[in-house]
Amino acid sequence: MTLPISARVTPGADGDSILVMKDLSIRYRSGQQAVSGVDLEVKPGETVGLIGESGCGKSSIALAAMNLLPTDAAVSAARFEIMGSDVQEMSEAAWETVRGRDVSIIFQEPMTALNPCMRIGKQIAEVLLLHGLVENKREATERALAALRSVQISKPELRMNQFPYQLSGGMRQRVMIAIAMAASAPLLVADEPTTALDVTVQAEILRLLDDLRREHGLGVLLVSHDLGVVSQVCDRIVVMYAGQIVEEGTPSELLSSPRHPYTAGLVTCIPRSDGVRRSRLTTIPGRIVASDRTTVGCRFQSRCPHARAGCELPQTLSVASGGTRAVRCWVADELDPLLGPRSGGAGR
C-alpha cells in the first residue's frame, strides 16, 4: 500500500500546499497568450474550482499541472511547485515519476483517454506497475480491483476484463477516476469530468469525487465551464476570463454576491430552481477574442454592461480584507453587478 496522502505532502513556503502557481503565464508559438499572471494554490483536502467559458485558459492550467501541454507552449512562473518541489526545470523523465504518483488527471472525455484495445483492469494496474508501487502483476491486479470498488462501479470483477466500448459513459468516467486514484496521488486534476454525462450521472460523479476527497484528504483542482457544477463540491472558486483570474471566493459568496460583472453574468445564466420564472435565460453578449488577451485594461470591458472611462487602465486582482475575496475590477465596490450601480455610487 502507498503512504497516506497526509504523510506524503512536503510542506513548502505556503504551508502544506500541494500545488502552488505564482505569476503563471502560458504562451504558444502562434503568439496566443493563453494564461497571464495566474496565482493558484491547492491544499490537502481542498477542492478548488476553476471556471470560465471556452478559451479562457483553464484547461491550459490543468495540462500545465501535468506537464502535458503541446510542445509549442512556453510556460513561465515566479513559482511552480508540486508537493513542495520546483517543477519548472524538471525533465520529462522526472515528470514521468511525478504523473500518477504525485498528481493525476481525469480527462473530460474518457472514451478518447482510455486505450480502446486494453482491458480495464490492465489499464488501472499499469499505473501501479510503472511507479513500482506493487511487488508483482498479481498484486497490481488486486489493487486495480480495489480501485474499481472504491469508485462504486457495478460488478467490478466483470468490468476488470471488459474493454472501454463495453461500458457506459458514466462507467468509463469512474474507470478514469479509478486510474487517477490507484497510486493515491495527493493532487487530482479533474478537467471537466462531467461534460459528456447526463445530469443524473453528473451528480453521481461529483458526489463520488467529493467522497474520495474527504476520505483520502486529496487536493482537487476541478475545471469546469459550469458555475452551478463547481458550486456543489468546491471550497473555493476561481473565475477566469481571457487568461486572467477576475474573481475568487467561496461558492456562497460568488453565487449570492458576485463582485465582478463577468461572474455576475455567469450567475444569471444559471437556471433558477426557486420557482421564479424567466421568459428566457440571460446570456453574456459577444465572446472572447484574441485582442482581449492583449488588452492593457479590463479584458471584459467590450462585453461589460458597467464599462466606463477608466476601464481601459491596468486592472489588478485586489484581495479584500480577511483574504476570502479577490476581484479584478476597479469599480467593484461601487457596483452590485446583479442589479447595477449601488445607491450613491459613481465612477471614480
Side-chain angles (χ1 to χ4, degrees), residues 113-288:
L114 293 171
N115 188 330
C117 302
M118 187 182 294
R119 296 183 190 276
I120 296 302
K122 190 174 181 180
Q123 295 194 52
I124 303 172
E126 184 179 46
V127 179
L128 302 167
L129 291 167
L130 284 174
H131 289 290
L133 298 174
V134 289
E135 298 275 336
N136 48 52
K137 289 185 178 180
R138 179 179 178 180
E139 184 182 351
T141 300
E142 292 173 352
R143 288 276 297 277
L145 181 58
L148 279 180
R149 287 176 177 145
S150 73
V151 298
Q152 302 167 25
I153 197 168
S154 64
K155 302 178 181 178
E157 293 83 0
L158 173 63
R159 311 306 174 199
M160 285 281 289
N161 294 308
Q162 290 183 316
F163 293 94
Y165 78 87
Q166 295 176 286
L167 306 183
S168 67
M171 286 183 179
R172 289 195 293 264
Q173 198 59 282
R174 287 175 188 268
V175 170
M176 283 295 302
I177 297 173
I179 293 173
M181 294 290 299
S184 300
L187 175 62
L188 178 62
V189 178
D191 187 8
E192 305 210 32
T194 62
T195 296
L197 305 176
D198 63 56
V199 292
T200 302
V201 179
Q202 175 178 284
E204 292 175 355
I205 295 299
L206 289 174
R207 185 165 55 250
L208 174 61
L209 285 174
D210 196 43
D211 290 344
L212 292 171
R213 187 263 300 183
R214 294 174 185 275
E215 181 180 352
H216 298 283
L218 297 173
V220 180
L221 179 62
L222 177 59
V223 178
S224 180
H225 63 275
D226 191 330
L227 182 57
V229 166
V230 298
S231 65
Q232 298 177 46
V233 294
C234 291
D235 301 293
R236 286 188 296 120
I237 297 177
V238 176
V239 183
M240 290 195 66
Y241 183 81
Q244 289 183 329
I245 294 175
V246 295
E247 188 166 3
E248 179 176 349
T250 65
S252 60
E253 290 171 336
L254 295 190
L255 288 173
S256 63
S257 58
R259 299 189 64 214
H260 195 282
Y262 177 63
T263 310
L266 296 179
V267 170
T268 56
C269 287
I270 301 173
R272 299 187 62 149
S273 60
D274 57 4
V276 177
R277 299 188 63 183
R278 293 175 179 162
S279 58
R280 60 186 301 175
L281 287 176
T282 304
T283 60
I284 301 174
R287 59 185 178 86
I288 299 176

Side-chain angles (χ1 to χ4, degrees), residues 66-68 90-103 126-127 130-132:
M66 296 288 295
N67 195 39
L68 291 177
M90 190 177 286
S91 66
E92 176 57 26
W95 266 105
E96 288 179 359
T97 68
V98 171
R99 292 193 204 99
R101 186 197 66 185
D102 294 334
V103 54
E126 184 179 46
V127 179
L130 284 174
H131 289 290

